[in-house]
Amino acid sequence: MGRSRRTLPEELLLLALDPTTGTTAQPQSLDLGLAGAQLVELALAGRIAPDGDRIAVVVPRPTGDPTLDSALELLRRRGAPVRAVHWIGGPRLGLRQTYLSHLERCGMVAAVPGQMCGVLPTTRYQATDTAISREIRARLDSAIRTGVPPDPRTAALAALAHAVGLGKHLYPGNEGRSSRSRLRDLIRHDPMGGLVAHAVMDVQNGAVAQPRRGPAAAGRQQAGPGARPAVEPARGVPMQPRHGSMARAVVH
């Protein structure tokens, strides 16, 4: 995959950056959206495909993007299609910071150090090329205004923006209500984007924590203290440590 084109996670992150404060809107749900955007980007690159509510690797060849290829390798290691809601709900330590650092290296944002309460170091990110953010926003605005079905990339971006709650950030107030409604409606124009967006919303609503009941699960529940849990964490996905270098800095 050539690096001349911005990836969907990068575009979603640029949409979420507030040009005035340098913070990201909806930071917690945005992390889920970035993981989902990776899936859509891999699908657009022909590396994965939806299989019902699951994601299957169809071409394991690397894309050339290190962050996407890391996600692709984790999916490949699973050996079987993984439910989108379980993949997106898995911890992705530092994913947002990874993309912010990449955008900084590309000259799209600049890191601005600061302090919280005069003690805790923080880093905010200011867009250095606002034309790029305006172009991304213009694509969404055009799809909303014209009603013409957008291209798959723009449709997926709209679906993810809605799923992570960026509608109120992009189209605030009562005057933006109709635009937010049309943003939500764009979810139907890309099957993969729709699948991922619904998975993001399901995770936020706690669906990922609900075990699927069945004979095997019921048997394990009756098996006593040594039984395995009905829902296991996604294999190959690093668990987030409680302490570490990230605890020394706050990134908005």
Side-chain angles (χ1 to χ4, degrees), residues 116-131:
M116 179 182 295
C117 301
V119 178
L120 186 64
T122 64
T123 303
R124 300 175 185 270
Y125 290 85
Q126 298 285 352
T128 56
D129 190 346
T130 56

Side-chain angles (χ1 to χ4, degrees), residues 19-247:
T20 303
T21 65
T23 61
T24 52
Q26 305 295 112
Q28 293 182 339
S29 56
L30 179 61
D31 290 343
L32 301 176
L34 291 174
Q38 286 186 314
L39 294 180
V40 179
E41 190 66 48
L42 287 170
L44 290 170
R47 300 310 196 267
I48 64 175
D51 181 6
D53 67 344
R54 297 174 182 264
I55 304 297
V57 176
V58 292
V59 177
R61 185 177 69 251
T63 65
D65 180 298
T67 310
L68 289 175
D69 289 341
S70 176
L72 179 62
E73 177 61 15
L74 289 176
L75 285 166
R76 186 194 66 79
R77 288 178 188 174
R78 291 297 301 270
V82 58
R83 290 186 69 203
V85 69
H86 285 167
W87 173 261
I88 291 169
R92 298 290 185 275
L93 180 62
L95 185 60
R96 184 168 20 127
Q97 181 59 55
T98 295
Y99 277 109
L100 283 169
S101 298
H102 171 73
L103 291 176
E104 183 184 11
R105 289 192 300 271
C106 293
M108 295 187 207
V109 301
V112 180
Q115 288 184 328
M116 179 182 295
C117 301
V119 178
L120 186 64
T122 64
T123 303
R124 300 175 185 270
Y125 290 85
Q126 298 285 352
T128 56
D129 190 346
T130 56
I132 294 176
S133 297
R134 288 198 302 269
E135 182 271 328
I136 297 171
R137 174 66 179 272
R139 282 164 42 208
L140 286 186
D141 290 345
S142 177
I144 288 173
R145 183 180 63 256
T146 64
V148 176
D151 62 275
R153 181 175 294 275
T154 301
L157 181 61
L160 287 164
H162 167 70
V164 303
L166 289 183
K168 291 183 179 180
H169 169 71
L170 298 171
Y171 307 103
N174 288 332
E175 65 275 13
R177 183 176 300 174
S178 61
S179 293
R180 294 195 299 270
S181 177
R182 288 193 289 270
L183 180 71
R184 180 194 61 223
D185 291 343
L186 290 175
I187 200 170
R188 70 182 187 275
H189 290 294
D190 180 61
M192 184 65 179
L195 168 65
V196 169
H198 281 111
V200 168
M201 291 185 284
D202 284 345
V203 172
Q204 293 180 80
N205 292 330
V208 70
Q210 300 298 322
R212 290 184 297 168
R213 302 297 298 273
R220 285 195 295 270
Q221 288 179 350
Q222 298 173 2
R228 297 175 65 186
V231 177
E232 301 179 5
R235 296 178 181 176
V237 178
M239 297 301 291
Q240 183 170 350
R242 293 185 179 180
H243 303 284
S245 59
M246 291 297 289

